[in-house]
Amino acid sequence: MPAKGSALPTEAPAAAGRFGRLAAWSQRRRWAALALWVAVVAAITVGSQAAGAAYHNDFALPGTDSQAAADLMTEHGSRQAGATVQIVAEDARGLSGDRQQIGQMLGKVRALPSVTDVGELSVSKSGTIGYATVTLDAEAQDVPKDHVTEIIDTAQAASGDGPRIEFAGDAVRGAEEGGGGGA
């Protein structure tokens, strides 16, 4: 403890460790540290812009048997090569009176872009729930969102006051999700 009236030491004790030395250097050379941080942030920004913003999931595994099978299905226009959308119809009174209306709706969906096939309506044992599978011409992430939105809008508009229509599948989830933020 310093004697009464004596001045306190003006020099801080030496910082221990790597980060302590970095902090001490940054404190002694404030402007150099600030300039260094600005340069680092600028380099990261330029690097991220040079890398590009287009992100694409690519599930290709060249040289594997599963990739060869997927390529063969795509090459020969297999109806099962792309993603699917399930259209589910529900009417508590039963779907028997709605079958013609649902069939017409499925016909309209069949004519939409990116649709390669629409399966027949399969109805539950209770007769209140039915579904049909819509096969798309590409994987879910490769089908334009507006094509999937058009499928949804067409099916809902065609149902009118009939059965309640819902949708399932990766393509539907992708079309209904909002865009990501700046993160």
Side-chain angles (χ1 to χ4, degrees), residues 108-149:
K108 290 178 182 178
V109 169
R110 189 174 281 115
L112 295 176
S114 296
V115 174
T116 60
D117 187 40
V118 177
E120 294 299 317
L121 183 68
S122 299
V123 180
S124 66
K125 288 181 183 178
S126 66
T128 60
I129 298 174
Y131 76 93
T133 301
V134 177
T135 305
L136 304 174
D137 62 0
E139 294 299 320
Q141 69 270 11
D142 297 328
V143 175
K145 285 185 180 185
D146 58 329
H147 290 187
V148 178
T149 304

Side-chain angles (χ1 to χ4, degrees), residues 2-100:
K4 195 174 189 176
S6 66
L8 293 174
T10 57
E11 179 116 3
R18 180 177 304 158
F19 291 113
R21 289 191 303 273
L22 178 62
W25 179 87
S26 297
Q27 185 178 17
R28 286 190 311 272
R29 294 172 180 85
R30 288 181 182 99
W31 292 109
L34 179 64
L36 183 62
W37 278 113
V38 168
V40 167
V41 169
I44 290 172
T45 302
V46 168
S48 68
Q49 289 177 350
Y55 179 77
H56 181 73
N57 288 332
D58 185 8
F59 298 107
L61 295 170
T64 63
D65 290 341
S66 59
Q67 184 63 47
D71 291 344
L72 185 64
M73 286 175 28
T74 303
E75 178 183 332
H76 291 289
S78 169
R79 293 180 173 183
Q80 297 301 318
T84 59
V85 172
Q86 287 75 35
I87 299 177
V88 182
E90 187 264 337
D91 192 337
R93 301 170 307 203
L95 293 174
S96 59
D98 299 317
R99 282 185 178 255
Q100 183 178 1

